[in-house]
Amino acid sequence: MERIITIIDFLIGAGALQGVFLAVLLAAGKKRYGSSNFSLAALMLLLSMSILHGQLMKVLGWGALGEGGILFQPLHYLIGPFAYLYARSCSGYRPRFFDALHFLPFAVLSFPVALVLKSGIIPAMAANLLLWAGAILHISLYLAATAQAVDLHDRAMKDERSSRTGDLRWIKYFLAIVLGIVLLDFILVASIIHRVGLAFLSRFQALGLSLAIYSLGFRALLRPPAILVAEAGQIPSSPFKVGLKNAGAKYERSGISGMEIEQIARELKALFERDKPYLDPELSLQSLSDLSGIARNQISQTLNDNLGKNFYDFVNSYRIEEFKRLVVAGERKKDSLLSLALDSGFNSKPAFNAAFKKSCGLTPSQFRDAART
């Protein structure tokens, strides 16, 4: 048992050090990874500080709050806002003065309440319940808002790019780890109510924070996000009103008629059948606009209103047909499915498999087997 505890403590300490290292690396890599990494660097540093918080409080003589030796983590009030602001910054959002309000709960509920608790005015149990319940509610709301911000970014990407390079789906793994920490907080609240000492849970919380550092920091370095500048009005100003406008409202001032939309649709189809621009894995809405001479917003409106597809699905539908043509032709039987997919314009196996299964209801290997019979 002592050996397991030693291993856990080692992982916790290593996670704290990695967080500081990644924070410095991310902050120094602005030009390479984008300005949004300042938010991520702050989050990495925050997670490390949360891990070290228990030891720091002991050094300062604050100790634990109330019965059971349960130590409050005021920095939990900062994890949600920093994660949320990072996700939004990847969609082109720039921090504003009023974003400081995100940190108001930390300022109000952490130090003042802790000072009142130390004075003995509020019973320790009541203060514990107030602090932990507030932290659970606060971080849960921000987890939901961050998940929606990630969806906003990835949906905006599908309107701009034909590949999934730089998406933010991996952030949801980090959110899942933080959700696990929230569940531990629920157990802590229950222990406060029933006056059961569960101080050992703080070690598992610290381990969870270490896992969050590993999952978020290294993935951001290995696969930095694509920074998008969404259309005006697409990024909401409130942290809990994340979502896209409906497609109709998005193009109210585009100025093209239904007949013009049909003409643009015919031109796009002719271009794709003639020049096969979809074979370029880096094809974007802007590059297609440059190639076709059609304005970006007109292409987007045509795809959504006439074809009922976003840019990502439209381009990949041609790539899937190209892959199917190569398989059915039978001229490259010795080539792997991945090789055929890459030659069809896809840039990765996961993106290809997902797009093919969604479109055809079969896996690529199932389609190939059916084509050979």
Side-chain angles (χ1 to χ4, degrees), residues 183-224:
L183 294 177
L184 287 178
D185 290 347
F186 272 110
I187 298 175
L188 283 172
V189 170
S191 71
I192 295 171
I193 295 174
H194 297 286
R195 300 177 182 273
V196 178
L198 294 176
F200 69 92
L201 285 180
S202 62
R203 178 176 276 109
F204 289 97
Q205 280 188 322
L207 180 60
L209 291 171
S210 296
L211 293 176
I213 289 174
Y214 289 122
S215 66
L216 186 61
F218 284 105
R219 189 64 181 272
L221 287 174
L222 294 174
R223 296 184 58 185

Side-chain angles (χ1 to χ4, degrees), residues 56-112:
L56 178 61
M57 289 299 98
K58 291 178 182 179
V59 171
L60 295 178
W62 285 77
L65 301 181
E67 299 83 352
I70 299 171
L71 185 67
F72 177 61
Q73 293 277 2
L75 296 178
H76 281 196
Y77 281 101
L78 295 177
I79 293 176
F82 273 117
Y84 171 74
L85 290 174
Y86 169 67
R88 291 204 66 203
S89 66
C90 292
S91 292
Y93 178 80
R94 294 184 178 181
R96 304 171 184 175
F97 175 77
F98 290 105
D99 284 325
L101 295 176
H102 292 297
F103 308 105
L104 185 60
F106 169 75
V108 172
L109 295 178
S110 297
F111 296 118

Side-chain angles (χ1 to χ4, degrees), residues 354-364 366:
F356 193 91
K357 184 68 180 293
K358 177 183 177 181
S359 175
C360 304
L362 299 171
T363 64
Q366 289 173 334

Side-chain angles (χ1 to χ4, degrees), residues 143 170-183 208 212 215:
L143 284 179
W170 50 270
I171 289 184
K172 292 187 176 180
Y173 293 108
F174 164 78
L175 298 181
I177 294 174
V178 177
L179 181 60
I181 296 174
V182 172
L183 294 177
S215 66

Side-chain angles (χ1 to χ4, degrees), residues 117-353:
L117 173 65
K118 194 170 182 62
S119 67
I121 298 175
I122 299 177
M125 180 177 179
N128 257 315
L129 287 174
L130 173 63
L131 291 170
W132 281 110
I136 291 171
L137 176 61
H138 181 265
I139 200 169
S140 297
L141 289 174
Y142 272 97
L143 284 179
T146 303
Q148 289 179 336
V150 169
D151 290 337
L152 172 65
H153 175 276
D154 289 348
R155 289 169 65 183
M157 273 200 66
K158 287 188 174 183
D159 283 331
E160 295 283 337
R161 305 191 177 197
S162 62
S163 68
R164 298 302 298 268
T165 302
D167 62 29
L168 296 180
R169 290 175 296 171
W170 50 270
I171 289 184
K172 292 187 176 180
Y173 293 108
F174 164 78
L175 298 181
I177 294 174
V178 177
L179 181 60
I181 296 174
V182 172
L183 294 177
L184 287 178
D185 290 347
F186 272 110
I187 298 175
L188 283 172
V189 170
S191 71
I192 295 171
I193 295 174
H194 297 286
R195 300 177 182 273
V196 178
L198 294 176
F200 69 92
L201 285 180
S202 62
R203 178 176 276 109
F204 289 97
Q205 280 188 322
L207 180 60
L209 291 171
S210 296
L211 293 176
I213 289 174
Y214 289 122
S215 66
L216 186 61
F218 284 105
R219 189 64 181 272
L221 287 174
L222 294 174
R223 296 184 58 185
I227 307 302
L228 297 177
V229 179
E231 296 186 21
Q234 196 174 28
I235 300 177
S237 58
S238 170
F240 305 114
K241 293 182 180 178
V242 179
L244 291 172
K245 289 187 174 183
N246 62 71
K250 186 177 178 180
Y251 305 106
E252 284 178 350
R253 294 185 297 274
S254 63
I256 59 176
S257 63
M259 292 183 62
E260 289 174 314
I261 289 176
E262 292 180 0
Q263 176 61 29
I264 292 174
R266 288 193 292 269
E267 292 179 9
L268 289 175
K269 290 178 180 178
L271 174 66
F272 269 64
E273 292 171 1
R274 182 182 67 252
D275 297 338
K276 297 185 177 182
Y278 55 85
L279 295 180
D280 177 9
E282 301 301 323
L283 182 67
S284 66
L285 183 63
Q286 183 60 55
S287 61
L288 179 58
S289 176
D290 296 339
L291 181 64
S292 64
I294 304 172
R296 288 162 44 96
N297 66 323
Q298 293 180 348
I299 294 177
S300 293
Q301 181 177 358
T302 298
L303 296 180
N304 281 272
D305 292 356
N306 185 272
L307 302 177
K309 297 180 179 179
N310 55 41
F311 179 73
Y312 177 84
D313 290 336
F314 174 72
V315 174
N316 282 326
S317 66
Y318 279 89
R319 291 171 175 168
I320 290 172
E321 291 304 316
E322 177 69 13
F323 170 82
K324 291 164 69 175
R325 184 190 67 79
L326 293 175
V327 172
V328 172
E331 299 175 357
R332 300 174 57 179
K333 293 181 179 180
K334 294 183 179 181
D335 290 352
S336 66
L337 292 176
L338 178 59
S339 176
L340 297 179
L342 295 177
D343 288 344
S344 300
F346 288 98
N347 70 336
S348 69
K349 184 177 181 179
F352 164 60
N353 288 336

